[in-house]
Amino acid sequence: MDRRRFFITALGTGAGAFALSRGLGAQQPALPLMTVYKSASCGCCTGWVEHARKSGFTVKTVDTENLAGVKAEMGIPAKLQSCHTVVVGAYVVEGHVPADDVKKLLATKPKVRGLAVPGMPVGSPGMEQGSPANYDRYDVVAFTTAGATSVFATHGPTRRG
C-alpha cells in the first residue's frame, strides 16, 4: 500500500470512528407501539393520534363506544379521565399528554401506572384551536395503581395577573 492510499484509508477509518463515537451513525431504539382506544367520532382524539405519529410513534387505533370499560380495566382514576386511553409499553396514557412526555416516561421508567391530562385543555396536543394566547396551562399527572398522583410536567402559557 502506498503512502497516499494509507492516509486516505486511515483518514476514512478515523472519521468513521469519530462519527460512531458521537452517535452519528447509531440508531435510536424503536419506540413501542401505541394502542389508542377512542370514539370513532372524536376529532380531538384523531388530532392527538396524528401528533403521536408525527413524534415517531407507530399507532394502532381501536374505535370503541365502551371507553368507560376500557378506563376501568386500565385502572384510570375517575378524576384523571379524558377522552382517549393509550397503552404504550408497560404504561397507560390518558388524554392529551404531549408525545415528548410519553417519550420521557418510557426513557426514565418511573414506578407509576401512567400519565394523564384530565379533561381536554385547550392548546394540548389534539386540542390546538384559536389563539395560542388563549391556550390553557395544564399539568401532566403521573399516577400509581394505589392512587397516588404527582405532577410529571406542566405545559401552556404562564398566566400573569
Side-chain angles (χ1 to χ4, degrees):
M1 178 180 287
D2 67 15
R3 180 185 280 191
R4 181 173 182 212
R5 187 169 296 170
F6 172 80
F7 283 117
I8 290 171
T9 302
L11 182 60
T13 303
F18 176 77
L20 288 175
S21 73
R22 297 288 179 223
L24 299 177
Q27 293 279 333
Q28 294 294 324
L31 294 168
L33 172 71
M34 280 186 168
T35 302
V36 180
Y37 297 89
K38 65 180 197 63
S39 169
S41 62
C42 185
C44 67
C45 293
T46 301
W48 189 88
V49 166
E50 289 308 310
H51 163 75
R53 286 182 173 140
K54 286 179 185 173
S55 298
F57 285 95
T58 300
V59 181
K60 172 186 168 188
T61 59
V62 177
D63 291 335
T64 180
E65 296 309 314
N66 184 22
L67 285 168
V70 170
K71 294 170 191 317
E73 183 179 327
M74 300 298 168
I76 299 166
K79 68 182 181 179
L80 299 180
Q81 292 182 6
S82 183
C83 55
H84 57 271
T85 302
V86 180
V87 176
V88 58
Y91 297 101
V92 295
V93 175
E94 178 69 8
H96 296 272
V97 176
D100 284 345
D101 290 341
V102 178
K103 289 177 181 179
K104 180 180 174 185
L105 172 78
L106 295 168
T108 59
K109 298 179 176 57
K111 294 184 185 323
V112 297
R113 178 68 180 121
L115 299 178
V117 171
M120 298 168 65
V122 175
S124 60
M127 291 294 297
E128 302 92 344
Q129 55 194 8
S131 167
N134 295 323
Y135 284 2
D136 295 330
R137 185 168 179 80
Y138 64 94
D139 291 331
V140 175
V141 178
F143 63 96
T144 67
T145 54
T149 61
S150 62
V151 175
F152 187 82
T154 301
H155 299 280
T158 303
R159 299 272 186 226
R160 291 181 173 81

